[in-house]
């Protein structure tokens, strides 16, 4: 069974249709890269998956559980949204780190807030804190940031900040890790270090949905590639199918921008 099933998702803002009947599925341990021009609906799709936006129609299932069904009022309860978000980790374009916290504290924060809701938190406060800190330290080490844990965001490069953001997203152990143009805010020389981390995650069978303009990365790392245009999935398939045997003229036009010269 697919770990993620997205069926007929629609979303409008006012009279503007941003997502038009979006459907796809994702298997455990696989990577989907979503490509397309700015304004094609890619970021809105990720925001719907993370329940930062509520779709107007459609269904979202994770591990067979229906998290959202526009026709089922029981899935539309606002109070359950935070729990649903735990299925998805989201890495934003612009890092979104808290400037007043160190790299380590940024990674620990969400898990510590959740821990405070546990009935045994007061009795095990120190033990729980140590467990969360050990996990955060391990994640930062995996990101190559062993010597930057006590640095604040303004003391880090853009690439280092994005790696902290990836560690933060992984800290809650989401079923699916989502990336929204994770290198778009980086200088070219820093892009490679973030893509390297993402490739390593793919090699570790991390389930990921990645919105990107890095075509070489999408070709080399993704199991599936989706091309979105004007709020629709115009074409999807394996990297070979999409890049080497493109069916749609609009897809060819888009990809030609990355191959000219």
């Amino acid at each position: 069974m697919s770990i993620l099933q997205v069926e007929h998702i629609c979303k409008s803002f006012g009279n503007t249709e941003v997502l038009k009947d979006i459907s796809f599925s994702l298997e455990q341990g696989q990577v989907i890269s979503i490509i397309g021009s700015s304004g094609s609906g890619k970021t809105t799709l990720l925001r719907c998956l993370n329940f930062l936006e509520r779709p107007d129609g459609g269904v979202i299932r994770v591990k067979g559980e229906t998290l959202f069904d526009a026709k089922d009022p029981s899935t539309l309860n606002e109070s359950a949204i935070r729990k649903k978000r735990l299925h998805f980790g989201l890495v934003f374009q612009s890092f979104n780190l808290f400037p007043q916290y160190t790299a380590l504290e940024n990674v620990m924060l969400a898990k510590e807030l959740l821990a405070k809701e546990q009935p045994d938190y007061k009795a095990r406060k120190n033990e729980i804190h140590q467990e969360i800190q050990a996990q955060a330290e391990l994640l930062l080490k995996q990101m190559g940031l062993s010597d930057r844990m006590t640095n604040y965001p303004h003391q880090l490069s853009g690439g280092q900040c994005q790696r902290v953001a990836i560690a933060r997203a992984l800290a809650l152990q989401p079923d699916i890790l989502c990336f929204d143009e994770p290198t778009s805010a980086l200088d070219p020389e820093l892009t490679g270090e973030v893509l390297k981390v993402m490739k390593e995650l793919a090699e570790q069978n991390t389930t990921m949905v990645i919105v990107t303009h890095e075509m070489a990365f999408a070709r080399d790392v993704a199991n599936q590639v989706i091309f979105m245009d004007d709020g629709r999935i115009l074409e999807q398939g394996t990297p070979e199918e999409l890049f080497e045997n493109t069916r749609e003229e609009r897809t060819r036009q888009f990809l030609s921008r990355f191959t000219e010269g």
Side-chain angles (χ1 to χ4, degrees):
M1 179 183 293
S2 300
I3 188 171
L4 173 65
Q5 294 172 295
V6 176
E7 300 174 5
H8 308 296
I9 291 294
C10 301
K11 178 65 180 177
S12 295
F13 295 105
N15 294 324
T16 303
E17 285 187 280
V18 180
L19 297 177
K20 307 171 184 176
D21 197 24
I22 300 294
S23 297
F24 66 91
S25 62
L26 177 62
E27 299 298 320
Q28 177 81 44
Q30 290 196 338
V31 177
I32 282 183
S33 285
I34 303 176
I35 63 174
S37 301
S38 297
S40 60
K42 306 183 302 297
T43 292
T44 300
L45 175 58
L46 283 193
R47 289 179 65 84
C48 286
L49 290 181
N50 283 272
F51 299 97
L52 296 172
E53 302 286 353
R54 177 188 283 189
D56 299 320
V59 178
I60 298 172
R61 295 188 179 93
V62 173
K63 294 183 174 179
E65 177 187 356
T66 300
L67 301 186
F68 174 85
D69 183 343
K71 296 180 180 180
D72 182 356
S74 70
T75 69
L76 308 182
N77 190 339
E78 291 289 332
S79 64
I81 284 179
R82 186 175 68 165
K83 183 178 179 181
K84 293 176 182 180
R85 284 181 184 152
L86 295 177
H87 292 282
F88 299 90
L90 179 57
V91 179
F92 298 88
Q93 296 180 21
S94 54
F95 322 141
N96 283 18
L97 300 179
F98 291 100
Q100 70 271 34
Y101 296 131
T102 65
L104 182 62
E105 290 167 340
N106 265 281
V107 176
M108 293 174 62
L109 183 60
K111 198 149 190 179
E112 286 199 312
L113 290 174
L114 286 175
K116 289 179 180 179
E117 299 177 4
Q118 297 177 14
D120 63 345
Y121 176 74
K122 288 185 179 180
R124 297 182 57 240
K125 181 178 179 180
N126 291 336
E127 180 185 353
I128 290 172
H129 177 82
Q130 290 172 3
E131 290 173 354
I132 293 172
Q133 181 171 327
Q135 182 209 28
E137 289 175 351
L138 179 59
L139 285 169
L140 286 171
K141 287 177 183 178
Q142 290 173 350
M143 297 296 122
L145 296 171
S146 298
D147 58 345
R148 294 289 186 267
M149 293 187 189
T150 59
N151 286 40
Y152 291 88
H154 74 273
Q155 298 171 319
L156 302 172
S157 70
Q160 290 168 340
C161 283
Q162 195 60 294
R163 283 184 278 156
V164 174
I166 294 171
R168 179 182 60 184
L170 288 168
L172 293 177
Q173 300 175 306
D175 295 309
I176 301 155
L177 188 58
C178 300
F179 293 85
D180 185 12
E181 296 283 7
T183 60
S184 66
L186 301 179
D187 294 331
E189 62 268 24
L190 298 177
T191 294
E193 66 186 57
V194 173
L195 293 179
K196 179 176 180 290
V197 168
M198 294 168 63
K199 185 174 182 180
E200 289 171 351
L201 289 172
E203 291 169 350
Q204 295 163 15
N205 297 319
T206 306
T207 308
M208 297 189 283
V209 178
I210 303 171
V211 169
T212 184
H213 276 108
E214 301 290 343
M215 295 301 116
F217 177 84
R219 183 196 297 263
D220 294 343
V221 175
N223 303 99
Q224 297 182 60
V225 181
I226 288 174
F227 174 64
M228 289 186 64
D229 185 58
D230 190 29
R232 302 181 187 278
I233 294 179
L234 190 62
E235 189 165 357
Q236 61 181 327
T238 65
E240 181 180 7
E241 289 169 340
L242 202 109
F243 289 104
E244 306 298 338
N245 299 290
T246 312
R247 299 189 310 271
E248 301 289 338
E249 178 60 27
R250 183 71 188 88
T251 314
R252 280 191 286 272
Q253 292 173 359
F254 174 80
L255 292 174
S256 69
R257 286 188 264 161
F258 299 90
T259 57
E260 290 173 353

